[in-house]
Amino acid sequence: MSGNNASSTKTVLSKATRILDAFGGNRVSMSLSDIVRATGLAHATVHRLAAELVTWGGLERTEDGNFSVGLHLWELGARSRRSCDLKESAMPYLQDLFESTHQHVQLALIDGNEALLIEKVSGPQAVHTVGRVGGRLPLHASAVGKALLAAATPDFQTDYLAHRLTAYTPHTLTSSRALALDLAVTRERGFAVTIEELTVGVVSCASVIAGPGYSALGALSVVTPAGTGHPRRWSQAVTATASAIAGAMAHPRVIPAISARAPWSSADLSEQTGMANKVS
């Protein structure tokens, strides 16, 4: 009986995660019918689980009656050690880099076969780009992606290059051989560049934030309009910022508690009561 219950729990959990996973790509708001089509689950199942996820805070209802990702899910995601520690250390340096460039400054982690954007500092006049915080970029067509891919293990690179490389513009590198050569150059000079490879009219320069043994803690980039100069002109500022962030990660500051703590929690009261009893 217990085995059946465990199997049932896993099935319900897998269905709930399929609903949450439906909010990938550019989907920020979905109707119930949209979720049904995206997940392949029964309408009644989606209706029931979506309602439970709304109660829990994983989903929210929008003004037009659709569903969007809830704040509670964002709250839990913000506690990820990989992203939280990196963002805490990087933010002052990202702000400085933005003040020097007045262009998009992006911070990303490698997650699976993609680059996950975890922070972005932008100005009102910055060029239109693909990618928002929480969005994903291809490793072979974005500067942060190339920087992360260049720092990945040889086995990871070989596996990635064995797959079809999607063309996003006429300038995207879709040849495994050409990309392998580009990654070798990236490792040698310490920064990656893309010239209209992900978005026409946009260029970028990125550097990996190196950990021990050139492992990648993350990568940062400056994204600028094409026609304003080769993106390598930002290479010194980008690599210096990446190095400063790596140094900050190696010597972390004392990070404050993520939430305020009530001065007299139930645990505190129990502890105080126990101490009082011992004294008496």
Side-chain angles (χ1 to χ4, degrees), residues 132-196:
R132 294 160 52 182
V133 173
R136 293 173 178 269
L137 299 175
L139 295 180
H140 68 284
S142 62
V144 285
K146 284 186 183 181
L148 291 166
L149 186 56
T153 64
D155 286 345
F156 183 92
Q157 292 181 23
T158 298
D159 182 69
Y160 188 89
L161 293 171
H163 291 80
R164 177 178 173 270
L165 302 176
T166 302
Y168 295 91
T169 76
H171 308 286
T172 306
L173 296 181
T174 57
S175 162
S176 296
R177 177 177 174 80
L179 180 58
L181 292 173
D182 194 31
L183 296 177
V185 172
T186 295
R187 286 192 298 273
E188 182 177 351
R189 69 188 175 190
F191 63 91
V193 297
T194 56
I195 301 177
E196 300 186 274

Side-chain angles (χ1 to χ4, degrees), residues 39-272:
T39 61
L41 297 173
H43 188 280
T45 300
V46 172
H47 183 273
R48 174 174 56 83
L49 291 179
E52 292 182 12
L53 286 168
V54 168
T55 301
W56 176 68
L59 294 179
E60 293 179 349
R61 297 304 296 264
T62 62
E63 293 180 356
D64 57 4
N66 288 343
F67 295 88
S68 64
V69 173
L71 281 177
H72 188 54
L73 199 62
W74 171 86
E75 177 189 6
L76 294 177
R79 296 167 186 252
S80 164
R81 288 299 302 269
R82 281 186 68 201
S83 63
C84 183
D85 290 355
L86 181 57
K87 286 174 64 173
E88 288 278 353
S89 297
M91 274 307 297
Y93 302 99
L94 299 182
Q95 293 285 357
D96 287 345
L97 185 58
F98 171 76
E99 291 299 326
S100 299
T101 63
H102 296 287
Q103 300 291 343
H104 295 295
V105 175
Q106 300 183 146
L107 181 67
L109 295 170
I110 192 168
D111 187 54
N113 286 335
E114 297 171 303
L116 175 65
L117 284 180
I118 64 170
E119 192 56 81
K120 188 173 185 177
V121 183
S122 302
Q125 304 304 318
V127 64
H128 176 72
T129 62
V130 173
R132 294 160 52 182
V133 173
R136 293 173 178 269
L137 299 175
L139 295 180
H140 68 284
S142 62
V144 285
K146 284 186 183 181
L148 291 166
L149 186 56
T153 64
D155 286 345
F156 183 92
Q157 292 181 23
T158 298
D159 182 69
Y160 188 89
L161 293 171
H163 291 80
R164 177 178 173 270
L165 302 176
T166 302
Y168 295 91
T169 76
H171 308 286
T172 306
L173 296 181
T174 57
S175 162
S176 296
R177 177 177 174 80
L179 180 58
L181 292 173
D182 194 31
L183 296 177
V185 172
T186 295
R187 286 192 298 273
E188 182 177 351
R189 69 188 175 190
F191 63 91
V193 297
T194 56
I195 301 177
E196 300 186 274
E197 295 172 41
L198 183 60
T199 306
V200 173
V202 177
V203 301
S204 184
C205 179
S207 179
V208 71
I209 301 168
Y214 197 61
S215 61
L217 300 174
L220 66 93
S221 67
V222 171
V223 185
T224 61
T228 57
H230 196 283
R232 72 165 61 93
R233 76 189 189 279
W234 299 114
S235 61
Q236 185 174 354
V238 168
T239 54
T241 302
S243 179
I245 296 172
M249 290 289 288
H251 302 89
R253 300 174 299 166
V254 175
I255 298 177
I258 196 167
S259 300
R261 183 182 180 187
W264 292 103
S265 67
S266 58
D268 291 329
L269 290 174
S270 297
E271 182 180 351
Q272 293 292 331

Side-chain angles (χ1 to χ4, degrees), residues 5-27:
N5 289 339
S7 176
S8 175
T9 300
K10 290 180 180 179
T11 301
V12 171
L13 179 60
S14 67
K15 290 176 181 178
T17 55
R18 282 170 69 180
I19 291 174
L20 296 175
D21 282 339
F23 291 86
N26 290 320
R27 301 189 189 107

